[in-house]
Amino acid sequence: MALFGVFQAALLLALLSLRTYQSEVLSELLPLTPESLEVSINSTQQRLYLQWRVHNLTYHQELKMVFQIEISRIETSNVIWVENYSTPVKWDQVLHWSWESKLPLECATHFVRIRSVVDDASIPELGLWSNWSSWEEVDVQKSLGQGSLFIFPKDKLVEEGSNVTICYISRSPENNISCHLEGVPIHGEQLNPNVSTFSFNNVPFIRVTGTNFYCIMNKHETSGTILYVSKVLEEPKDFSCETQDLKTLNCTWNPGHDTALIGFPSQRYTLFESFSRKKKLCARKNWCDWQVAPDSQETYNFTLIAENNLRRRSVNVFFNLTHRVHPMKPFKVVLKSISATNATMTWKVHPVGNYSTLLCQVELHGGGKVIQQHNVSITTNGQYFLSELEPITQYVTRVRCAAAQHFWKWSQWTRQSFTTLEAAPSEAPDIWRNVKSMLGSRTVTLFWKPLSKSQAHGKILFYNVVIENLDKSSSVKLLSIPAPANGTELTLDQKCSYQIHVTANNSAGTSPASVIGISRDSGNKKVEERRIQGTEDGFSLSWKPQSGDVIGYVVDWCDYPQDPSCPLQWKNLGPNTTSTVIRSDAFRPGVRYNFRIYEISTERIAYLLEKKTGYSQELAPSNNPQVTISNLTSHSFILNWKDYSTDSQSGFIQGYYVYLKHTAEQCHPGFEKAVLSAHVLIRIIVPMIFCLVLFMVVCYLMSQWMKDKCYPDIPDPYKSSVLSLIKYKESHHPTIMKVNDCIPDAIEVVNKLEGSKIQFLGARKSLTETELTKPAYLYVLPAENYSGPSPFICFENFTYNQAASDSGSCGHVPKRPTTPPSQLALLTSSENLLKSLEQNYMNSLGESPAGETSLNYVSQLASPMSGDKDSLPTNPPGPALGSEYRMQMAVTLGLASPSPSENSSLSVTLLDQGEHCR
């Protein structure tokens, strides 16, 4: 128990001592107000720099504290910035903090104060803010020196897109100040009577020499500044490192925009490796070398740092050295053992450390494209055998290599060109012939097409032509035709058959032979030439096979038929082909092309099958025919002209148009005949047809109206206009005419034969007679007491008789005849005449017996016209006084105009008498 009591007393004493120590510490930490606050400025950076201390800390103490900083502008009550700054604090430590002002510090007075609080969980009792320090005033305007106008900031550097504030300070009592940005007047905001500010948002990059801002006071004093706006520093792109020999690393990247300005350097790049803790300042903007450590470090972690005066950016890359091998390009590429179809390619590579195997890629190019591609695994020397090459052809080979185990990148290509040797031509020449017979012999023109490059296998030097007479086995003739000739002319016996062999030769050998046969018969039998029509795509030809035992067909033509020396063109076709399309860039519109189709027999003899002729596009004739005139008479003449020659025709001549017009209708000098197009003619003809139809309708309606008014089918006495032409004895006004009032001159009596037929259809009537007789005329004399000129009145009305006499006239009686004609009855009074008229009229309404005459009643006045020779006495006296009213005429039904001559020719033209044409 005694021991326990002693232990308890010792514990109490220790706790009491600890309590006493804590009280002493707390009493020492209570006044932790920041002291010794000092404020400085950096005008270039527009920054305020603060430093201070915290007293009453023992040297072994370190507390985490928070400092609250307030900044005011112009007045202490105008607080513009409040910030809490947290940091651990030690005994006698000087603390620092800075602040960047958007407004240049020279433009206004600033005030700064600070207070603190302990932010330590182990001492919660000190979690109260201390008192504020006293305000520290920052007034830069006091140190501006002499001058009346100042502009701030001076030569400020900012990034593109930043916001900038500029101010001017005036010490002059007059404020007549104008400011300009790049020559453009601007207006600012007045901060106080002597200070104005200008705010610019999102400023652009204009030039490397900066953007100019200046102010003018009282039109003579100027002050300004330059605002340097740089491009924004970009993060490096495509950062990568690789090695070619495992001794040096080459790191590359894309720097982006250059941020350099006049007076300000470009961005800088630094390479830092974290494992070795090494750093290197790169001399170039887009690549940097790094020496591999001699201890064979395999893993690398690089950080690329880009920085300028305004910003800092960085990227990093992590890799294994052996996985970033990029070999150097191969060298000493050689082609050897070159033949017409083969070659051997060799090359060497640079060693890559301890790597023993590289993968190489070989490519063969010809004609601008890749022909072959192969992969080869090698160590130091490479070799590949190239086969299946074309003779006398230029090729390009190239090779590149890469690491075989850990593929990273191919090396650059190494190229080498070579040309294979010649070989004998592989194809027989394509040959054709043209046969002409004359005076017991035949002229055979032999043609062949040059071999293509892939067929010739070298430069063709000459062509061998072997002529074998099939009827004389020992007769063989050899001709050697130097290249580049493409044909020759042979003279052969017309009574023999021949076989011709043609081969092409170069320095390496002879081609296979082409064979063509020439029979005793030329093979050009007479066949009908047929017309075809070409298109833009060419001429489409088709034919019917005549014999089944053929080995093919040939179509030949000439591209320039108007050229006598034009060589033949031909196209070979298979035995099962019966149609083809002939195309040529030489085809032109308005040119006639002739095509011949041959079938080739098993003896290789060509037989003419069909002929075709046509135009790719027909054109109108370019010249008029040369016309001559012969047999010129007063009514006709004959035109003669020659046909167009086949060569001069620009299209198939379908016929000729002959135009005839009066000389007065010829075009005036300086004018020519205009030919209107189809749509223009339609626009002219359609309105004309419409107007013509409308005119015909109006005329028809007017004629109907006139007919009803003047000569209706059954005349209306009240409507007849003839009343106005007769003067009556008792009245001067027109009245209804009576027969008794008329003094007739003559009555025309028409004899009608049996079989006459009269048809009445309503008011309109038609009469068809089988035969008309000569009219008999009845002369009617005036009364005896009548004196004066002999009047004449002819009445003709188709109501009573539709048939017209062939005389078409009435007799004229100037005086009383001494002996009237025997066939006429004499009527001495108008009453007798009326009776006679009534009798004849009534007889006309009934059935007329054979030989009965009818009356043709004439109702209008007219001058006598020349008529039948039997109707009037010969040698009548001169015309008597009478009316000039036009006589009504009728065309006899059934009469037709004579048919035109069936043997008329286009070359004959009839004219009116007295009309001439040239």
Side-chain angles (χ1 to χ4, degrees):
M1 289 295 293
L3 182 59
F4 177 75
V6 173
F7 176 77
Q8 187 178 12
L11 180 59
L12 291 173
L13 290 174
L15 292 174
L16 181 61
S17 300
L18 179 60
R19 185 69 176 177
T20 304
Y21 172 78
Q22 289 180 346
S23 299
E24 292 177 357
V25 171
L26 289 175
S27 63
E28 293 177 0
L29 292 179
L30 285 177
L32 295 180
T33 302
E35 298 177 355
S36 305
L37 177 62
E38 296 180 6
V39 181
S40 60
I41 66 170
N42 185 326
S43 296
T44 303
Q45 299 180 359
Q46 293 182 200
R47 278 188 171 274
L48 287 177
Y49 289 93
L50 280 64
Q51 68 176 26
W52 68 93
R53 295 171 182 266
V54 177
H55 299 291
N56 300 329
L57 283 178
T58 58
Y59 71 92
H60 61 274
Q61 285 183 313
E62 180 176 346
L63 297 177
K64 184 178 180 181
M65 299 186 66
V66 177
F67 298 93
Q68 190 175 70
I69 304 169
E70 281 188 355
I71 301 177
S72 299
R73 180 175 290 162
I74 302 176
E75 297 178 355
T76 57
S77 60
N78 183 27
V79 177
I80 62 171
W81 191 267
V82 177
E83 183 177 332
N84 293 333
Y85 171 59
S86 178
T87 182
V89 180
K90 296 181 180 179
W91 174 78
D92 202 23
Q93 178 183 356
V94 178
L95 303 175
H96 298 273
W97 181 82
S98 65
W99 173 75
E100 181 181 5
S101 175
K102 300 300 180 183
L103 179 70
L105 298 174
E106 293 85 355
C107 299
T109 302
H110 292 80
F111 301 91
V112 181
R113 68 176 182 177
I114 187 173
R115 65 177 180 176
S116 64
V117 66
V118 176
D119 187 17
D120 198 328
S122 62
I123 312 178
E125 294 83 357
L126 298 180
L128 298 175
W129 286 103
S130 68
N131 295 327
W132 287 100
S133 66
S134 59
W135 288 100
E136 291 292 329
E137 182 179 355
V138 181
D139 189 359
V140 187
Q141 296 183 8
K142 296 178 182 179
S143 59
L144 293 180
Q146 300 296 324
S148 57
L149 182 63
F150 302 91
I151 295 179
F152 297 100
K154 291 292 185 183
D155 303 336
K156 183 175 180 62
L157 175 66
V158 296
E159 283 184 334
E160 185 179 24
S162 302
N163 299 330
V164 180
T165 301
I166 300 178
C167 75
Y168 73 76
I169 301 173
S170 172
R171 289 181 174 177
S172 173
E174 299 180 3
N175 264 344
N176 186 14
I177 300 174
S178 61
C179 297
H180 304 77
L181 179 68
E182 287 293 313
V184 179
I186 57 175
H187 302 281
E189 180 182 356
Q190 192 171 28
L191 198 62
N192 60 46
N194 295 325
V195 178
S196 290
T197 61
F198 303 86
S199 297
F200 305 101
N201 298 325
N202 195 22
V203 293
F205 170 83
I206 297 179
R207 65 181 76 89
V208 295
T209 56
T211 303
N212 297 319
F213 178 89
Y214 61 92
C215 295
I216 302 175
M217 184 173 67
N218 298 327
K219 297 183 180 181
H220 65 276
E221 185 173 352
T222 303
S223 180
T225 185
I226 298 177
L227 183 63
Y228 291 97
V229 181
S230 73
K231 292 289 185 179
V232 178
L233 178 63
E234 298 180 64
E235 183 180 275
K237 299 180 181 64
D238 304 325
F239 178 44
S240 176
C241 298
E242 62 188 21
T243 181
Q244 291 184 324
D245 53 8
L246 296 180
K247 297 178 181 180
T248 303
L249 276 169
N250 182 33
C251 297
T252 59
W253 62 89
N254 180 6
H257 294 297
D258 189 358
T259 63
L261 297 172
I262 299 299
F264 298 92
S266 180
Q267 62 265 35
R268 303 171 299 278
Y269 292 91
T270 303
L271 201 60
F272 174 74
E273 204 284 308
S274 60
F275 293 115
S276 61
R277 309 299 298 176
K278 293 180 180 179
K279 181 184 296 186
K280 181 180 180 179
L281 181 62
C282 299
R284 295 173 179 82
K285 296 180 182 179
N286 57 349
W287 66 275
C288 193
D289 286 338
W290 186 275
Q291 295 299 319
V292 176
D295 56 355
S296 300
Q297 177 183 347
E298 291 189 356
T299 305
Y300 290 83
N301 186 9
F302 281 105
T303 300
L304 178 64
I305 302 170
E307 56 185 343
N308 61 7
N309 293 339
L310 298 174
R311 191 181 292 272
R312 175 188 173 110
R313 294 184 182 275
S314 63
V315 292
N316 70 295
V317 61
F318 178 85
F319 60 90
N320 189 299
L321 182 63
T322 59
H323 296 180
R324 296 297 179 96
V325 176
H326 185 193
M328 288 185 282
K329 66 179 182 178
F331 64 101
K332 290 187 178 181
V333 178
V334 178
L335 274 301
K336 57 185 180 180
S337 302
I338 301 175
S339 67
T341 57
N342 302 315
T344 301
M345 177 183 178
T346 62
W347 67 93
K348 293 184 178 182
V349 294
H350 296 275
V352 182
N354 296 327
Y355 271 79
S356 59
T357 304
L358 292 177
L359 178 65
C360 295
Q361 189 175 74
V362 177
E363 284 187 354
L364 178 67
H365 289 247
K369 61 182 180 180
V370 178
I371 300 176
Q372 298 180 17
Q373 187 179 76
H374 309 279
N375 292 333
V376 184
S377 296
I378 66 169
T379 54
T380 56
N381 298 326
Q383 178 176 316
Y384 191 79
F385 180 73
L386 299 171
S387 61
E388 299 180 0
L389 306 181
E390 295 292 335
I392 199 66
T393 304
Q394 185 176 11
Y395 292 98
V396 175
T397 61
R398 62 179 188 173
V399 59
R400 62 181 179 178
C401 298
Q405 185 176 0
H406 302 288
F407 181 87
W408 168 243
K409 287 182 180 179
W410 288 109
S411 69
Q412 295 181 358
W413 290 102
T414 301
R415 303 166 61 91
Q416 186 63 46
S417 61
F418 70 100
T419 302
T420 54
L421 302 180
E422 289 189 2
S426 60
E427 298 289 338
D430 184 3
I431 65 174
W432 187 236
R433 91 296 177 272
N434 188 33
V435 181
K436 294 182 180 178
S437 300
M438 51 188 301
L439 300 178
S441 65
R442 282 176 294 177
T443 301
V444 177
T445 305
L446 200 61
F447 304 94
W448 57 80
K449 295 180 181 178
L451 295 176
S452 65
K453 184 179 179 181
S454 61
Q455 297 171 342
H457 294 171
K459 182 179 180 181
I460 300 299
L461 301 178
F462 58 92
Y463 296 89
N464 282 336
V465 179
V466 178
I467 307 168
E468 181 182 359
N469 191 329
L470 299 180
D471 297 328
K472 299 178 182 179
S473 59
S474 61
S475 177
V476 177
K477 185 178 180 180
L478 173 64
L479 299 177
S480 183
I481 311 297
N486 59 357
T488 187
E489 190 172 282
L490 308 174
T491 301
L492 304 179
D493 190 352
Q494 193 170 7
K495 299 179 181 180
C496 299
S497 298
Y498 295 87
Q499 197 171 66
I500 301 175
H501 304 255
V502 180
T503 58
N505 300 264
N506 62 10
S507 61
T510 302
S511 72
S514 290
V515 181
I516 192 169
I518 305 295
S519 65
R520 295 182 183 88
D521 181 12
S522 63
N524 294 333
K525 64 179 181 180
K526 292 184 179 180
V527 297
E528 181 183 356
E529 186 178 64
R530 298 181 180 180
R531 292 182 179 182
I532 58 174
Q533 182 63 49
T535 63
E536 295 180 354
D537 295 331
F539 290 90
S540 179
L541 306 179
S542 62
W543 58 91
K544 295 181 179 179
Q546 293 186 357
S547 61
D549 193 13
V550 296
I551 62 173
Y553 297 91
V554 174
V555 179
D556 70 2
W557 73 95
C558 181
D559 282 340
Y560 305 96
Q562 297 177 352
D563 184 2
S565 61
C566 175
L568 277 179
Q569 303 294 325
W570 67 95
K571 183 176 182 181
N572 294 305
L573 301 165
N576 298 323
T577 304
T578 58
S579 64
T580 186
V581 176
I582 305 298
R583 298 181 176 89
S584 175
D585 294 335
F587 289 160
R588 296 291 181 268
V591 179
R592 180 182 290 189
Y593 296 95
N594 301 312
F595 301 91
R596 296 181 299 185
I597 303 172
Y598 293 84
E599 62 178 10
I600 310 301
S601 67
T602 55
E603 292 82 14
R604 299 187 180 275
I605 298 176
Y607 294 96
L608 182 60
L609 193 62
E610 292 186 17
K611 286 184 178 181
K612 310 280 188 178
T613 183
Y615 297 83
S616 61
Q617 180 183 351
E618 293 191 60
L619 301 178
S622 58
N623 297 317
N624 291 329
Q626 300 298 322
V627 182
T628 60
I629 301 177
S630 63
N631 297 345
L632 180 62
T633 68
S634 61
H635 291 81
S636 66
F637 58 86
I638 296 177
L639 301 179
N640 302 281
W641 62 87
K642 294 182 179 180
D643 290 337
Y644 285 90
S645 64
T646 302
D647 296 337
S648 64
Q649 292 182 17
S650 57
F652 294 117
I653 302 299
Q654 304 291 344
Y656 296 87
Y657 287 101
V658 177
Y659 297 93
L660 182 67
K661 67 177 180 180
H662 196 274
T663 55
E665 298 178 0
Q666 292 181 350
C667 296
H668 295 286
F671 294 83
E672 61 182 5
K673 182 179 179 181
V675 180
L676 302 179
S677 59
H679 68 278
V680 175
L681 290 174
I682 292 175
R683 292 166 58 184
I684 294 176
I685 292 174
V686 170
M688 291 179 62
I689 293 176
F690 176 79
C691 294
L692 182 60
V693 172
L694 182 62
F695 178 76
M696 293 176 63
V697 171
V698 173
C699 289
Y700 175 78
L701 296 177
M702 290 294 295
S703 64
Q704 289 295 106
W705 180 82
M706 289 290 295
K707 183 175 182 299
D708 294 338
K709 289 293 185 181
C710 297
Y711 49 96
D713 293 335
I714 299 179
D716 187 347
Y718 291 94
K719 297 181 179 179
S720 177
S721 59
V722 75
L723 299 178
S724 61
L725 302 177
I726 302 177
K727 297 181 179 180
Y728 299 96
K729 300 178 180 179
E730 300 178 359
S731 174
H732 294 286
H733 301 284
T735 60
I736 298 177
M737 183 183 70
K738 298 179 180 180
V739 178
N740 297 340
D741 298 331
C742 296
I743 303 175
D745 291 326
I747 295 176
E748 179 180 354
V749 179
V750 180
N751 294 327
K752 295 195 296 181
L753 300 178
E754 185 178 1
S756 301
K757 181 180 179 181
I758 301 176
Q759 296 179 354
F760 296 92
L761 301 176
R764 188 177 298 272
K765 295 164 285 295
S766 65
L767 175 63
T768 302
E769 297 183 0
T770 59
E771 183 177 357
L772 299 178
T773 62
K774 301 292 182 177
Y777 286 86
L778 176 66
Y779 287 85
V780 181
L781 300 179
E784 293 183 356
N785 57 356
Y786 177 78
S787 63
S790 299
F792 60 90
I793 302 176
C794 287
F795 294 94
E796 178 180 320
N797 193 313
F798 300 129
T799 304
Y800 307 121
N801 190 350
Q802 186 67 16
S805 69
D806 58 352
S807 64
S809 65
C810 297
H812 179 265
V813 182
K815 62 181 180 178
R816 184 188 309 267
T818 56
T819 306
S822 60
Q823 70 271 23
L824 297 179
L826 179 65
L827 300 178
T828 57
S829 65
S830 60
E831 289 82 358
N832 295 332
L833 174 63
L834 179 59
K835 292 178 181 180
S836 179
L837 291 175
E838 290 176 353
Q839 180 181 0
N840 285 288
Y841 177 69
M842 294 304 295
N843 291 333
S844 66
L845 296 178
E847 294 183 357
S848 299
E852 186 177 359
T853 60
S854 64
L855 176 67
N856 184 8
Y857 175 65
V858 181
S859 64
Q860 296 183 359
L861 297 176
S863 298
M865 298 175 61
S866 61
D868 193 292
K869 62 181 180 179
D870 298 331
S871 61
L872 293 175
T874 59
N875 300 323
L881 181 64
S883 174
E884 295 182 356
Y885 197 81
R886 179 171 295 179
M887 186 184 216
Q888 289 185 349
M889 300 297 297
V891 179
T892 305
L893 299 178
L895 295 180
S897 60
S899 61
S901 174
E902 296 179 356
N903 298 323
S904 61
S905 171
L906 288 177
S907 62
V908 178
T909 304
L910 298 179
L911 304 176
D912 292 338
Q913 185 174 2
E915 184 176 352
H916 302 278
C917 266
R918 294 182 181 178

